[in-house]
Amino acid sequence: MLLLSELEDSIDMISRVLENISTKEEWLEEKSDYLADFISRHARVIFSYTGMGVIPAKSIFLSLSILAPEKEYYLKSASHLAYHYLPYIDDAGGVVLLVGSAWERSELLRTMDALNIMNTDYVVVVPYKPDDLTIKKIEKDRSLIPPSAMGISEYVYLALKTAIKSAAKITGRTDMRMKRLIEEVKSLSGLQEYLEPICRDISSFIHDILSSKQPVAILYSPSMEAPALLLQYLLLRQGVLSVAMDFSVAPAENLDKFRVLAMYTGVEIDLFKEVNFRLIKQGVKPYYVKSDFDPVTNQLYVLIAVDSVLRTVLKET
């Protein structure tokens, strides 16, 4: 059962997450400018990642694909980039490597060797203070290392801020949507009020699955992938068997053995209706998390809600 005090704690946690972003605002502003300049000067840009760096990588990839489709964007894991791509192409374009954690140190070092050997233009975002050997591998003017470790919400904020600035540079757009997005990422104040119903839905779902012990299937629309992947990761850390799938590949059968959560935005409601129809035919009634945010900023906003609720419910830092 969802307690009012717990919902209030989740809202308070959102304030703490926003405060963490605010304390790094100067660094995030400066480095998002740097990344936007890097991205805008390349005709082809590869967003690569290790570990949980996949979440900010997917966020920036999707945002730029929506806002500035004039360029070529690719999404590749660091291992795929190092083993199967860089050795076989003359000009990879620009590579933005988004590192997940220190656990992927070996993968990072191998990828740095490949980037340097192939003389590739790159920049590496490391969300923690790396060890001396790693620092030696990365040229100083190509590495972005925050003054203190970045949490996942701060990381996705950096990715989103970078994507919007890059799109403005690439396209020269000054339409209402672009202006609104630029203003939104300048200030996240007041976000708690808008996220309260989403926190309530996520909290109810979390309580249900922790008490039922059933495996979880998280089905998501494109702009919900980042928060869905974070939710899956945090549930797996709690020993809850979890899978996350895009609506387009979700199976129409055998999901009756799962607690199903569908995540989508109002813009993508037709995608939800299609998958919901298939689920109902199988006797599955999903929980759902719906937002009415712009699909671009939605990735950050709902991820902050997931991050805050899970920290509260699971008492994690």
Side-chain angles (χ1 to χ4, degrees):
M1 180 179 176
L2 177 61
L3 301 175
L4 178 60
S5 61
E6 196 168 83
L7 179 60
E8 291 172 345
D9 287 345
S10 294
I11 301 303
D12 182 60
M13 184 63 75
I14 291 175
S15 299
R16 290 167 57 186
V17 169
L18 296 181
E19 186 178 339
N20 288 340
I21 292 174
S22 179
T23 59
K24 294 186 179 70
E25 182 58 42
E26 184 176 347
W27 184 87
L28 291 165
E29 186 70 27
E30 177 187 340
K31 300 313 178 186
S32 59
D33 283 338
Y34 178 90
L35 286 167
D37 288 339
F38 178 87
I39 290 166
S40 62
R41 73 171 182 258
H42 288 283
R44 179 193 299 118
V45 183
I46 299 170
F47 298 105
S48 188
Y49 58 86
T50 70
M52 290 299 286
V54 66
I55 292 179
K58 283 179 176 284
S59 295
I60 194 170
F61 174 78
L62 175 65
S63 299
L64 280 169
S65 298
I66 293 172
L67 297 174
E70 295 88 342
K71 282 185 180 287
E72 292 181 46
Y73 307 109
Y74 299 90
L75 186 67
K76 299 179 183 294
S77 70
S79 292
H80 176 53
L81 181 74
Y83 285 115
H84 308 301
Y85 189 79
L86 290 177
Y88 305 104
I89 189 167
D90 292 331
D91 181 12
V95 173
V96 178
L97 177 57
L98 299 150
V99 179
S101 72
W103 288 103
E104 298 102 40
R105 178 176 178 274
S106 295
E107 183 179 14
L108 171 59
L109 294 177
R110 286 195 302 270
T111 306
M112 295 310 310
D113 285 337
L115 288 166
N116 290 323
I117 289 170
M118 300 306 295
N119 197 30
T120 305
D121 194 11
Y122 68 86
V123 61
V124 183
V125 183
V126 186
Y128 56 89
K129 185 177 179 180
D131 61 79
D132 291 341
L133 177 59
T134 304
I135 290 175
K136 287 178 182 178
K137 288 275 186 180
I138 309 172
E139 295 178 26
K140 187 175 182 181
D141 61 349
R142 294 178 183 263
S143 63
L144 305 185
I145 302 171
S148 59
M150 278 196 295
I152 190 64
S153 292
E154 298 154 60
Y155 211 162
V156 174
Y157 178 72
L158 174 64
L160 188 65
K161 204 173 183 73
T162 296
I164 293 170
K165 287 182 177 182
S166 300
K169 283 177 174 289
I170 293 164
T171 65
R173 284 174 55 185
T174 57
D175 57 85
M176 288 300 296
R177 185 187 189 190
M178 185 63 75
K179 288 180 179 178
R180 175 174 51 77
L181 290 172
I182 291 171
E183 287 304 313
E184 280 191 38
V185 295
K186 281 184 179 178
S187 174
L188 300 178
S189 61
L191 192 58
Q192 297 93 320
E193 176 185 350
Y194 297 102
L195 290 181
E196 182 174 331
I198 294 174
C199 287
R200 184 181 295 109
D201 292 339
I202 295 170
S203 294
S204 296
F205 177 71
I206 297 301
H207 277 284
D208 179 67
I209 61 172
L210 290 179
S211 61
S212 72
K213 307 297 183 183
Q214 274 188 277
V216 173
I218 305 166
L219 312 182
Y220 56 82
S221 64
S223 65
M224 283 287 191
E225 184 170 17
L229 291 178
L230 177 62
L231 179 56
Q232 179 199 21
Y233 171 75
L234 293 174
L235 290 175
L236 286 170
R237 283 182 54 175
Q238 295 301 309
V240 178
L241 178 61
S242 310
V243 294
M245 295 173 283
D246 187 286
F247 280 160
S248 63
V249 298
E253 62 281 327
N254 297 326
L255 286 180
D256 57 312
K257 299 176 179 63
F258 291 78
R259 281 289 201 271
V260 177
L261 175 67
M263 304 178 71
Y264 64 99
T265 65
V267 173
E268 301 158 318
I269 193 167
D270 287 341
L271 300 176
F272 167 70
K273 287 179 178 178
E274 291 168 6
V275 76
N276 193 45
F277 176 74
R278 299 201 307 269
L279 292 171
I280 290 173
K281 285 185 68 176
Q282 297 296 318
V284 177
K285 185 178 180 181
Y287 286 80
Y288 63 90
V289 171
K290 173 183 176 290
S291 88
D292 291 310
F293 301 123
D294 186 295
V296 172
T297 49
N298 176 80
Q299 302 169 89
L300 172 66
Y301 296 166
V302 179
L303 182 134
I304 288 175
V306 170
D307 190 12
S308 300
V309 168
L310 268 293
R311 289 194 199 192
T312 302
V313 174
L314 304 177
K315 304 295 187 290
E316 291 201 357
T317 59

